[in-house]
Amino acid sequence: MSARLTTQSVTVRFHGLTALEDVSISLDQGEILGLLGPNGAGKTTLVNVLSGFTRPSGGTVKVNEIDLTRARPDVLARRGIVRTFQSVRLFQRMTVRENVQVPVFAHHAGSVEGEQAAQRALEFVGLAEESDRIAGSLPYTQERLVGIARALALEPKFLMLDEPAAGMNDVEGAQLVELIARIPAQYGCGVLLIEHNMPVVMAVCERLHVLRGGRTLASGPREEIRRNPDVIESYLGGH
Amino acid sequence: MNWVQLLVDALSLGGAYALVALGIGLVFGVMRMINFAHGDLITIGAYALVVPSAAEVAEPYLGAFSVWLMVPMTIGFVVLMMLATERFAFRPLRERHADGASLLISSFAISFLIQNVILFIHTGRPKSVNILDGLRGYVSVGDVRLPLIDIVTVAVTAVLFILLVVFLGFTRPGREIRSASEDFVMARLLGVKANRVIAYAFAVSGVLAGAVSLLYVAKTGVLDYRMGVPLAIAGFVGTVLGGIGSLWGAMMGGLTLGFASAFLQALLPPELRASRDAFLYGLVVLVLLVRPQGIFSSSKRLERI
């Protein structure tokens, strides 16, 4: 059965500041949902809630009917909810392969399956040839790909990519689009893509969710969002 | 003094220092804390060889077993004590997010606690104990006679270092230790369990400390409740000298310190030999003035921090 990750009216307050208010999203296995919004709109906070790094002040996180609102990150990762980090922070002195293996083995995969999963993820992002290189010697773009491989090696049901195209040029961005578009077919997972780079988002997401000031501004199919006057005014206007 | 003899002397002392430096360096890697009690865990391992008593003549305890039992039992005991130290002295502090200074003070407290418990049980009188009698002999190389224990110390250091490299490079716990040493927060974010990886580091550190207990007692045949302190200081200096945060550096730093010590002992005019350590640590200060990042660490790494 295909699973669905949902948040229901999630609210997050830090010391009286409201970072998220009443945000409900849903992500199906096999689809790519774009999460848009200006800086400070609450995108990363939402990912933190979904991956267990932040406990919401209100609302629920569920996979199908299973409530995972208060689950810890490692529990969520074992249930197939996995994320990448905006700052990739590879272990510079370890090889590319080891970087991908660390999370796999930390989540109790057996040795053989773990190594195979890491290998598949490296092949998928096109870094199989580089797997014995020391991560500190990789160019920036490839570092980000290792970050994605690190998450994919856990064979997630739901993958959250936090600004994977940050700092990439147009060519690299286009290659990344092509890669992300292949993830659902290859891994059968749902992808939540947080991204500032509009061409990337528009190329790869059929459905978009737009946040502003911690609230949902709009949510729907790509074409509808593209024409939404609120979105154009607050976010797309400059583009 | 013959050069071969001096070299073996230097290698043996340097090897022992390197084992201590590696033990301290491993724990420092994952916890960013210098465990000053490391030397006293070496002392504990040494005292485990005799029956606890205030009697003047020590009766062997673990030291009475055959080598094949004594070595693993002594090392195992030090590992258990090391893990207990982590569990009861450091973990509660970590879990309450105590800062680095509190952890350091806690390690000093453990150091004094161990010394005084041993003082209470065994009294402060040094005790003599004979273990590994087979190592008491000499090996003749040409016309020099080299103490077997020194050669064994060098060999044990080499073997333990190779095992450590294999462990860190090719096993799961080893990879976790390396990832946590490089970026503890990120390792945790990726699912590496903090308590588990720290326990691994303490356990390996305990194996190294236990090995030093045995080698040290086999060489000197004497137990003293403060015997571990100078070793811990030498090991700590070794890690800093080699470039703190790098195990290769810790190894080389320990070796260097041992070499410098042995060579000063041999080359200083006899009337200055008593103040050898003043020269030794004076040299350390000079070296650090020139290379504050340590001898064997690249300046690049310092910049990256």
Side-chain angles (χ1 to χ4, degrees), chain A residues 53 72 74 78 85 87-95 98-99 101-103 105-111 115 150, chain B residues 32 168-170 172 175-176 178-193 196 245-246 301 304:
Chain A
F53 288 94
R72 290 198 321 258
D74 53 318
R78 245 168 255 132
F85 298 88
S87 54
V88 185
R89 273 166 62 182
L90 298 183
F91 303 115
Q92 305 277 331
R93 280 179 266 159
M94 298 173 80
T95 65
E98 286 175 329
N99 265 280
Q101 285 175 344
V102 164
F105 289 139
H107 290 102
H108 298 300
S111 303
E115 273 166 34
R150 201 160 59 178
Chain B
R32 292 291 178 267
L168 291 172
F170 301 101
R172 259 196 245 183
R175 268 192 295 255
E176 292 201 351
R178 280 162 61 220
S179 67
S181 300
E182 207 177 308
D183 189 337
F184 197 78
V185 174
M186 196 63 200
R188 283 194 79 178
L189 292 180
L190 294 176
V192 172
K193 293 204 166 50
R196 199 175 60 189
S246 134
R301 189 172 304 140
R304 207 186 287 139

Side-chain angles (χ1 to χ4, degrees), chain B residues 268-282:
Chain B
L268 277 177
E271 60 272 22
L272 290 179
R273 271 181 205 164
S275 1
R276 180 198 62 196
D277 283 356
F279 286 90
L280 180 63
Y281 288 102

Side-chain angles (χ1 to χ4, degrees), chain B:
Chain B
M1 194 182 212
N2 180 285
W3 281 103
V4 180
Q5 230 168 342
L6 177 57
L7 189 70
V8 170
D9 224 31
L11 273 172
S12 146
L13 187 61
Y17 287 173
L19 290 179
V20 182
L22 283 169
I24 291 176
L26 265 173
V27 167
F28 178 85
V30 291
M31 257 173 82
R32 292 291 178 267
M33 178 201 76
I34 297 288
N35 182 13
F36 270 100
H38 189 88
D40 303 286
L41 281 131
I42 294 173
T43 311
I44 285 186
Y47 271 90
L49 294 165
V50 301
V51 175
S53 88
E56 203 161 329
V57 178
E59 196 184 325
Y61 185 50
L62 289 186
F65 289 91
S66 74
V67 183
W68 304 111
L69 284 172
M70 179 187 67
V71 171
M73 277 163 64
T74 307
I75 291 177
F77 181 66
V78 176
V79 168
L80 281 181
M81 295 305 287
M82 198 63 102
L83 289 172
T85 312
E86 196 308 281
R87 179 66 189 78
F88 298 110
F90 300 131
R91 190 184 296 184
L93 293 181
R94 285 193 286 109
E95 280 171 354
R96 267 170 267 163
H97 306 286
D99 64 18
S102 309
L103 285 167
L104 189 67
I105 295 301
S106 184
S107 89
F108 274 116
I110 292 298
S111 168
F112 285 115
L113 177 69
I114 292 172
Q115 287 174 33
N116 284 288
V117 169
I118 292 175
L119 189 62
F120 179 71
I121 297 174
H122 291 270
T123 76
R125 194 184 304 118
K127 293 183 175 182
S128 73
V129 54
N130 289 327
I131 58 159
L132 303 170
D133 285 336
L135 301 183
R136 207 137 294 223
Y138 289 83
V139 182
S140 294
V141 179
D143 54 351
V144 255
R145 289 172 75 223
L146 302 171
L148 191 53
I149 178 66
D150 286 342
I151 293 172
V152 169
T153 303
V154 176
V156 167
T157 308
V159 169
L160 284 177
F161 188 68
I162 291 167
L163 287 179
L164 191 60
V165 168
V166 171
F167 168 77
L168 291 172
F170 301 101
T171 70
R172 259 196 245 183
R175 268 192 295 255
E176 292 201 351
I177 289 178
R178 280 162 61 220
S179 67
S181 300
E182 207 177 308
D183 189 337
F184 197 78
V185 174
M186 196 63 200
R188 283 194 79 178
L189 292 180
L190 294 176
V192 172
K193 293 204 166 50
N195 286 336
R196 199 175 60 189
V197 73
I198 286 174
Y200 286 150
F202 270 88
V204 179
S205 173
V207 171
L208 297 172
V212 174
S213 306
L214 290 164
L215 292 170
Y216 190 91
V217 175
K219 186 175 165 77
T220 64
V222 176
L223 302 177
D224 179 273
Y225 75 104
R226 279 178 305 205
M227 60 190 277
V229 175
L231 284 171
I233 291 173
F236 172 47
V237 171
T239 56
V240 176
L241 206 55
I244 201 151
S246 134
L247 291 181
W248 178 247
M251 170 91 180
M252 295 310 286
L255 274 175
T256 308
L257 194 70
F259 260 79
S261 179
F263 274 74
L264 282 173
Q265 179 72 28
L267 303 177
L268 277 177
E271 60 272 22
L272 290 179
R273 271 181 205 164
S275 1
R276 180 198 62 196
D277 283 356
F279 286 90
L280 180 63
Y281 288 102
L283 266 179
V284 169
V285 172
L286 280 182
V287 168
L288 291 178
L289 282 176
V290 182
R291 285 190 67 88
Q293 73 273 35
I295 308 177
F296 300 96
S297 119
S298 63
S299 48
K300 213 174 121 212
R301 189 172 304 140
L302 200 72
E303 279 161 25
R304 207 186 287 139
I305 299 166

Side-chain angles (χ1 to χ4, degrees), chain A residues 129-190:
Chain A
E129 310 266 297
E130 316 287 337
S131 45
D132 291 319
R133 257 175 90 172
I134 293 296
S137 71
L138 286 183
Y140 179 76
T141 322
Q142 293 194 340
E143 276 188 11
R144 306 205 72 96
L145 293 178
V146 179
I148 295 174
R150 201 160 59 178
L152 282 174
L154 295 173
E155 316 219 303
K157 288 190 185 123
F158 301 99
L159 173 65
M160 290 169 278
L161 299 173
D162 199 350
E163 306 212 10
M168 289 191 182
N169 63 32
D170 289 349
V171 177
E172 292 159 347
Q175 285 166 348
L176 185 70
V177 165
E178 190 265 335
L179 179 79
I180 294 172
R182 284 192 293 127
I183 291 176
Q186 184 79 27
Y187 281 90
C189 60

